[in-house]
Amino acid sequence: MNRPRRGHLLGEVRMSRNLNRSSKTKRQRLISPFLSGLLVWALVGGYFLSPRAAKPALAGPPPSKLAHISKMSVDLRAAVQKSPMGLVPVIITAPSKPSAGLWGVIMSNTHSYQSYNRVPAISVKLPGFVVGALAVRPDVLHISLDRPTHMTGHLETTTGTAEARNYTSPGTGQIDGSGIGIAILDSGIDSAHHSFGAPGQQCRVIANVDFTGENTTQDLYGHGTHVASIAAGSNHVAYGAYTGIAPGANLLNVRVLGAQGQGSASSTIAGIDWCITNKNAYNIKVLNLSLGTTAVEDEADDPICQAVQQAVNAGLVVCAAAGNNGKLNGNKVYGGIHSPGISRWAITVGAVNTFGTDDRSDDGIASYSSRGPTRGYYTDTAGVNHYDNLIKPDLVAPGNKIIEAESPGNYLLSESPTLDAGVSTFIPHQMMYMSGTSMATPAVAGAVALMLEKNPALTPNMVKAILEYTAQSLSGYSSLEQGAGELNVEGCIRLAGLIRPDFLSQPQGAPLLNGALPTQTTTIAGYTFQWSGGIIQKWNSVTGVALIANKQGVYGAGVALSDAVTLSNSVLLGDAALLGDGVVLGDGVLLAEGGTMADGVLLTLGVVLGDGTVLSDGVVLGDGVVLGDAVLTADGTFASAMSVLQGDPAWGVVAPKDGSPPD
């Protein structure tokens, strides 16, 4: 098979012929084995082709990562070139603790900086020319621009949580997340809202810290309160119509977004660092990051992703929003996953539109939900871009027109009063609509709290594996849109309860369960579906009953769950040290119903070939920076976020009125 020239669109002549055929013929035409083989080579080999002037791209870091062309991120280099004398906000990563010499240079240019207890990094504003000088020092590993972050924005029944409540065990009552700490890294939490503590009850917001510099932990923006109530809102309002996934869990209000929803990478890292440091004091088990910033660097260099890795290595489960870059001018966009959702260590969550119905047979991926693959990259000394191209999200959850707690007088509501759901005139009971992957992420975070209440022995990797294995694969959507599928709380709690608590001390291949294999189906609102039965890897997936019947090496610490499959000379291989017998390695990206797609991109009336090129079927592959109409931009322009806040059409959504007394 002749490979095309690098930088040339695959099958350009064939596409020209195909575009002249009728749409009926194109729909009926099967993808030829030749084209399928060519496209799997393109994905695995990394040739997501760029415009002609661009350098070739390679998929994922090679086994031995090549030297970078620069220790500075590409956007930082541009900032330094634009203003060499101006102050530039940066995050400096050292190999371990910063050296005395590095501190000396920093302190000679500024007296204002931020360092971290568990993350070997310093955030500081320095003149551009100083940043350039630091980049050549051997005691500096990498320097990134301190990028702005922003919001990415009937649960009990449709997620299967109602069924899971009664999966009790000795020492636990009804499964509600009691005692588990969920840290909400967001715009604050209105702890006076009765979703978090009604009169006569202790408020479950047990700690409040601010890393924005605004000296408040109140939710002036309105995002964090809504997110927190999805994860852990009580059944107090409207007789339980707006109960969150883990209503007994404790909440940690870690404020990293300001009064208009803006933050920075450094404030997010500071929040993660605080959670690691205080995890034992507050029994913090889960971090919810319903925020993100444009993915520029590969995940191994991205400073927020490094902090996420530190958190997971410390035993914390990190749930991150995929982002809301799934469409551009009505076209599908691939490659729009945000940071830190690009991290292998995070559980990255996309959004489902339930159309307001409990029955999951009509569920579909929300149009704005960001699709993979991840497009962070580094440039080697030969000028070649190496893209991560990881499959993301890991799974999806309800995120469209979600009705949950409203903080009084918040910014979002003042800009768009129709977001108020009209549930109550009593301020501590008021609710609002919001849509986005920001809303889907805390549903997964709440589910994780329930899993850890049921089985405290679960590792972050084991939690992630269970979530993916029990998910419902949605028909018509690829793994790059839904990961393993839609969150199934009933299934994941049932399976979590079967995992033997001493599994970590067992050898690979040992029995993983306390008892027989579970029935691998779930019924929700009368609709029965099969579990996905698989786990997402970096570039494909693995399936097989052995994933839950026997211990796999990948379930332990020190490695990401997705690292069990490796890439060698453009061939996907299973790592025998991490995966045992009985696990089936997929030969492509999983389709919703068990088939595969050779190139990992939905092929309908056209083929995704060029980065940023819109093809005949309205699909776009974003490259690094995606300008979607569903993103709150860095300058705080509110209008650009409206399509997410309003969400996709959802004909069945009705807000039950609050009939409870104004207590």
Side-chain angles (χ1 to χ4, degrees):
M1 179 178 68
N2 294 323
R3 295 182 177 180
R5 298 188 306 275
R6 294 181 179 180
H8 181 71
L9 293 180
L10 292 177
E12 192 172 59
V13 175
R14 176 175 297 188
M15 279 188 58
S16 177
R17 291 200 302 267
N18 289 344
L19 292 176
N20 292 326
R21 299 180 183 179
S22 69
S23 60
K24 178 179 180 181
T25 302
K26 286 184 286 186
R27 285 194 298 269
Q28 293 175 341
R29 188 181 67 251
L30 295 177
I31 303 166
S32 71
F34 171 81
L35 181 57
S36 297
L38 191 61
L39 286 169
V40 74
W41 163 76
L43 176 63
V44 176
Y47 291 89
F48 277 106
L49 298 178
S50 305
R52 296 180 189 274
K55 294 291 184 180
L58 302 179
S64 178
K65 190 170 180 179
L66 301 175
H68 287 33
I69 191 172
S70 171
K71 292 183 181 179
M72 293 193 293
S73 64
V74 62
D75 51 350
L76 176 57
R77 293 202 305 270
V80 169
Q81 291 171 0
K82 181 179 180 180
S83 181
M85 302 302 294
L87 291 177
V88 182
V90 298
I91 299 174
I92 303 167
T93 305
S96 56
K97 289 187 176 181
S99 68
L102 177 58
W103 274 119
V105 174
I106 292 173
M107 297 305 295
S108 64
N109 286 277
T110 184
H111 293 289
S112 178
Y113 64 89
Q114 184 172 21
S115 59
Y116 310 98
N117 293 325
R118 303 298 183 93
V119 180
I122 305 167
S123 63
V124 63
K125 290 183 178 180
L126 294 171
F129 72 91
V130 175
V131 175
L134 288 177
V136 300
R137 291 179 60 95
D139 53 357
V140 170
L141 190 64
H142 194 74
I143 311 178
S144 301
L145 188 68
D146 189 356
R147 305 180 188 97
T149 55
H150 47 76
M151 59 155 282
T152 49
H154 62 100
L155 287 176
E156 276 192 300
T157 302
T158 196
T159 58
T161 304
E163 288 87 347
R165 293 270 186 244
N166 296 319
Y167 291 156
T168 58
S169 58
T172 67
Q174 191 177 65
I175 299 295
D176 65 358
S178 292
I180 305 296
I182 305 175
I184 306 295
L185 285 80
D186 214 288
S187 61
I189 300 175
D190 175 27
S191 58
H193 198 285
H194 287 180
S195 289
F196 311 119
Q201 300 176 354
Q202 184 174 358
C203 180
R204 289 179 294 110
V205 183
I206 61 173
N208 300 274
V209 290
D210 175 56
F211 293 101
T212 68
E214 294 180 351
N215 297 317
T216 181
T217 55
Q218 292 298 309
D219 185 14
L220 306 178
Y221 186 58
H223 192 258
T225 298
H226 194 270
V227 165
S229 61
I230 294 172
S234 74
N235 63 357
H236 180 74
V237 179
Y239 299 104
Y242 307 107
T243 306
I245 303 297
N250 291 326
L251 292 163
L252 293 302
N253 177 13
V254 184
R255 190 171 185 265
V256 297
L257 298 176
Q260 294 189 0
Q262 300 301 303
S264 64
S266 55
S267 62
T268 304
I269 294 170
I272 295 172
D273 188 69
W274 182 89
C275 292
I276 299 172
T277 302
N278 293 278
K279 66 185 182 74
N280 293 331
Y282 298 105
N283 198 33
I284 303 173
K285 298 292 186 181
V286 192
L287 274 59
N288 189 92
L289 299 173
S290 288
L291 49 77
T293 187
T294 301
V296 177
E297 299 162 289
D298 75 328
E299 57 113 20
D301 289 327
D302 186 294
I304 306 183
C305 292
Q306 291 178 18
V308 166
Q309 181 177 346
Q310 294 290 332
V312 173
N313 284 338
L316 303 176
V317 179
V318 180
C319 301
N324 298 320
N325 279 353
K327 65 179 179 180
L328 175 63
N329 298 326
N331 298 314
K332 280 189 177 182
V333 174
Y334 285 87
I337 304 292
H338 278 181
S339 169
I342 62 171
S343 170
R344 290 173 297 141
W345 303 83
I347 298 173
T348 305
V349 186
V352 164
N353 186 354
T354 68
F355 296 98
T357 65
D358 295 334
D359 182 347
R360 291 163 62 123
S361 63
D362 62 348
D363 289 4
I365 304 300
S367 67
Y368 45 77
S369 183
S370 285
R371 300 168 176 84
T374 63
R375 296 297 283 170
Y377 69 96
Y378 76 93
T379 306
D380 67 25
T381 52
V384 178
N385 293 340
H386 296 259
Y387 292 91
D388 290 334
N389 283 338
L390 306 180
I391 295 176
K392 288 284 184 173
D394 296 298
L395 76 163
V396 291
N400 192 66
K401 293 190 182 299
I402 303 298
I403 304 172
E404 284 294 344
E406 171 185 314
S407 60
N410 69 71
Y411 176 83
L412 291 175
L413 199 60
S414 68
E415 292 291 321
S416 184
T418 58
L419 294 177
D420 182 85
V423 169
S424 178
T425 57
F426 183 46
I427 290 177
H429 287 197
Q430 288 178 341
M431 300 280 168
M432 65 187 291
Y433 291 99
M434 289 190 73
S435 298
T437 59
S438 281
M439 284 61 253
T441 305
V444 174
V448 173
L450 301 183
M451 293 168 68
L452 292 172
E453 180 189 13
K454 181 65 178 173
N455 190 343
L458 300 179
T459 62
N461 280 357
M462 191 77 255
V463 165
K464 190 174 185 179
I466 293 171
L467 286 167
E468 293 180 358
Y469 191 93
T470 60
Q472 174 192 354
S473 194
L474 298 177
S475 178
Y477 298 95
S478 75
S479 297
L480 294 177
E481 298 177 278
Q482 66 173 320
E486 184 175 0
L487 172 68
N488 170 19
V489 179
E490 186 280 330
C492 68
I493 301 304
R494 180 155 51 95
L495 180 54
L498 293 173
I499 304 295
R500 55 189 296 177
D502 63 345
F503 78 93
L504 270 181
S505 64
Q506 302 302 309
Q508 180 165 303
L512 184 64
L513 305 180
N514 279 322
L517 287 169
T519 301
Q520 296 186 44
T521 59
T522 291
T523 301
I524 294 175
Y527 177 72
T528 301
F529 57 87
Q530 190 78 27
W531 295 356
S532 78
I535 296 174
I536 297 296
Q537 293 296 284
K538 286 187 284 191
W539 300 295
N540 73 338
S541 63
V542 291
T543 59
V545 174
L547 290 170
I548 60 171
N550 307 106
K551 181 198 172 180
Q552 306 297 326
V554 75
Y555 296 157
V559 63
L561 181 70
S562 62
D563 289 346
V565 170
T566 58
L567 184 68
S568 177
N569 297 322
S570 297
V571 177
L572 290 167
L573 302 172
D575 190 331
L578 298 175
L579 286 178
D581 294 338
V583 177
V584 180
L585 177 63
D587 59 359
V589 176
L590 270 187
L591 273 172
E593 294 162 302
T596 60
M597 288 190 299
D599 67 335
V601 177
L602 185 62
L603 299 178
T604 53
L605 305 183
V607 181
V608 175
L609 299 173
D611 292 333
T613 302
V614 181
L615 300 177
S616 60
D617 62 350
V619 176
V620 182
L621 177 60
D623 192 7
V625 178
V626 181
L627 299 177
D629 60 356
V631 180
L632 184 62
T633 58
D635 63 359
T637 303
F638 180 80
S640 63
M642 289 305 295
S643 59
V644 173
L645 295 178
Q646 301 298 344
D648 285 341
W651 59 78
V653 174
V654 177
K657 302 299 180 182
D658 179 30
S660 53
D663 44 15

